[in-house]
Structures are given as structure tokens and as C-alpha cells.
Amino acid sequence: MELRHLKYFQAVAEELSFSRAARRLRIAQPALSRAVQELERELGAQLIERERRSPRLTPAGAVLLHETGLILERLDEALRRVHRTAKGEEGELRLGYIGPPTRPFLSRLLKEYGRRYPRVTVILEERTPERVWEMVSKGRLSVGLTRPVLAHDALGLQTLLLREEKFCAAVPLDHPWARLNSLPWKKLAGEPLIILARREGAGSHDAIQAACQAAGFAPRVKHMPSLIGTVLQYVESGAGVGVVPESTASKNLTLIPLKPQQTIPLVMVWAKEGDDPAVAAFRGMVREWLRDGKLWE
């Protein structure tokens, strides 16, 4: 059975006239009659009574007309979905991200993406930098917004630099340093420091250690929690001085840029293979916003 057989039968069944159906389909009437007969032979059932002056549907024909309408309607919707998917207008985007560095833009970006591509399902997963890279490399995430990690070259992912963030000292609002515009790294010597654990952010951890060594001292690390929120909590409680990227925000703390400037990148990562149109559309939006200065308004 061919799809044209169903379309030809539908036209005859709706017109109840072979001649009108042939004109509607723009084919010769004998060809239309043969196609309906082929369909009847294949189904082993008479679909149209031809003995009368005006053809009529048999009970089997009435059932097939109803089912054909559903089949062709479903096919049309399937084709529309294929076209939308090919243009990135339908599909799924699984986005992995790290929290604080993406807060200035992520909600605005996703809102605009949802406006442009309302049929794409967006699934968000907040993870550590290492976990984001791992999940993207294994195809469990479509794209990631994260920090570079030690093994990033080996994972073979594509990257786009979004920002270089300066490191800052985080102190309570009543701290003696709170009014400073900048702070030398060497001033941290001997201070109890709160930094993110290496297993959760090797790039950040190693950059801080290297900056302290370059300033001539070994950092006195008091706590190394797994979450940046816990780093802030320790600092708010007076446990020590936090060393965090500038995107880390807290109304109860002051962030003081450290000199000489030491930065840590924020990047977008994705796999080289399997360029899904919905994912490509998201990456295109990120590039567009980065180019137009909208990412960091």
C-alpha cells in the first residue's frame, strides 16, 4: 500500500464522485479508479459501492475514511515537526551550568531563547565545573557554561570564551578592608583563607594558589568547602577571608579586587559531533549576545 492510495481514496470518499475527485487531484479518472481498486484488493474489502449512479461508502469504507484522516493529519504534523526541528525551532536543550558566574545573564538569555524557540524543551542542570565537562563529553548535556578544567584538552570539546573574571577578596561589611578599592595579594599572607575545594573547582583553586605563591607566601587555608555559597557563609560568620571570582555576590559582603590582577575564564563548551539544530541555535544566541554586549549588561 502506498500513501497515494490513501490520498486518492480520501478524495473519492469525500467527493463521492470519481470525476470530481480526479479533477481535485489533477489526475486522469481511470488512474484514480485503478488506484482505489488496488487498495480494495490489498485490504480484501469493498470500500465504495459503484453500482449506483452516485458512489457510496461501504461500512468498511467509512471506517477507512475516518482512519485515513487521522493518518494524514498525523503525517502532516510529523512533517511540520521535522521542518521545525531542522530549523532549531523544536527539540531539546540540556544545559549544564555553574551558578554564580552565570547569574548576570542566564535568566535573560533563556527567556529570549524561549521566546524565539517556544517549542524547544530546556532542561537545566547546575553542576560543578568538572561535572559539566564530563556530562557534555558523554552526551548527557547539550552544552555547558562552566570553568576550564585540567582535563579539558583531553575531552576534545569545543569552547567559546565568555569572560575573564577577576579574583576578589570577600570580607564582611564591617571589616577594616571593606572600604578599599583594591588589595595586594601579599596582604592575604597569614590570613585564614576560605577557598573552593580543588575537587569542585581545580582551575579556581590552582589559580589562587599560584597567585599567592607569586606574591611570595604560602596561603593559610582554613576551610575548603564544596560550594561557593558555603565559602560566603564562612566569610559572613567571620571565619576568614574568602577568595572568589568577581561574579560572586552577597549583600552582606564586600568584594575587593586583588592586585596584580589574576583572572579565571568562564566558557561555553559543547561536543564537536551531533550538532543538533536547537543546540546550534542556543550557541548562536550566546555568540550574538556576546558580540552585541548583551551578555554582561
Side-chain angles (χ1 to χ4, degrees):
M1 182 187 302
E2 298 179 24
L3 185 61
R4 66 182 179 90
H5 287 134
L6 293 177
K7 291 182 175 180
Y8 289 177
F9 165 75
Q10 183 186 50
V12 174
E14 289 178 349
E15 298 289 344
L16 290 179
S17 166
F18 280 89
S19 59
R20 287 197 300 272
R23 287 195 298 272
R24 169 175 154 183
L25 295 168
R26 297 181 181 178
I27 64 172
Q29 185 172 331
L32 177 59
S33 297
R34 284 195 301 273
V36 174
Q37 289 170 358
E38 289 171 3
L39 182 60
E40 288 178 321
R41 281 197 298 272
E42 186 165 351
L43 293 175
Q46 184 180 3
L47 303 174
I48 298 174
E49 294 180 1
R50 298 173 179 79
E51 290 76 14
R52 303 170 182 268
R53 175 176 295 182
S54 178
R56 291 185 180 181
L57 291 177
T58 65
V63 170
L64 184 61
L65 176 60
H66 174 74
E67 296 299 327
T68 296
L70 297 177
I71 291 169
L72 296 179
E73 182 180 322
R74 184 70 183 89
L75 176 62
D76 287 343
E77 174 58 21
L79 295 177
R80 285 193 293 271
R81 290 192 64 188
V82 168
H83 293 149
R84 289 195 298 263
T85 299
K87 293 189 293 184
E89 296 174 357
E90 186 162 317
E92 182 178 89
L93 171 70
R94 301 187 69 91
L95 177 62
Y97 68 101
I98 54 177
T102 59
R103 285 197 189 108
F105 67 88
L106 187 55
S107 60
R108 293 185 292 110
L109 182 70
L110 291 175
K111 185 176 181 179
E112 174 64 14
Y113 182 77
R115 187 189 67 78
R116 295 188 192 182
Y117 307 101
R119 293 179 179 271
V120 175
T121 300
V122 178
I123 299 171
L124 300 176
E125 297 206 30
E126 185 174 2
R127 294 285 188 263
T128 63
E130 283 76 7
R131 188 68 173 139
V132 170
W133 280 80
E134 177 191 351
M135 293 176 74
V136 172
S137 69
K138 292 181 178 179
R140 294 172 60 186
L141 290 174
S142 313
V143 65
L145 304 172
T146 184
R147 305 285 192 200
V149 297
L150 295 178
H152 69 269
D153 288 334
L155 292 173
L157 300 181
Q158 304 276 64
T159 65
L160 174 68
L161 177 65
L162 302 181
R163 189 184 195 187
E164 288 281 0
E165 283 195 73
K166 299 187 288 288
F167 278 105
C168 297
V171 297
L173 299 178
D174 59 356
H175 193 278
W177 295 347
R179 295 184 178 275
L180 297 177
N181 294 322
S182 65
L183 187 72
W185 281 91
K186 62 184 179 182
K187 287 289 257 182
L188 300 180
E191 295 287 336
L193 300 184
I194 319 295
I195 64 176
L196 198 64
R198 192 174 190 276
R199 66 180 180 277
E200 307 299 346
S204 172
H205 185 98
D206 291 352
I208 292 169
Q209 293 277 358
C212 293
Q213 295 290 342
F217 69 96
R220 178 189 163 203
V221 179
K222 186 173 183 181
H223 295 291
M224 290 189 294
S226 299
L227 298 173
I228 198 72
T230 310
V231 171
L232 301 182
Q233 195 66 54
Y234 273 125
V235 176
E236 288 181 20
S237 69
V241 176
V243 182
V244 297
E246 63 183 308
S247 61
T248 308
S250 171
K251 63 181 180 180
N252 299 319
L253 299 177
T254 295
L255 299 187
I256 311 161
L258 288 160
K259 302 292 183 181
Q261 182 174 297
Q262 175 72 38
T263 63
I264 183 169
L266 178 70
V267 296
M268 177 170 66
V269 300
W270 67 95
K272 295 179 181 179
E273 301 82 14
D275 203 13
D276 182 274
V279 180
F282 178 80
R283 296 202 314 266
M285 264 197 64
V286 172
R287 286 193 177 93
E288 173 193 324
W289 278 37
L290 189 61
R291 181 192 67 231
D292 296 344
K294 296 172 66 176
L295 210 61
W296 305 106
E297 286 181 349

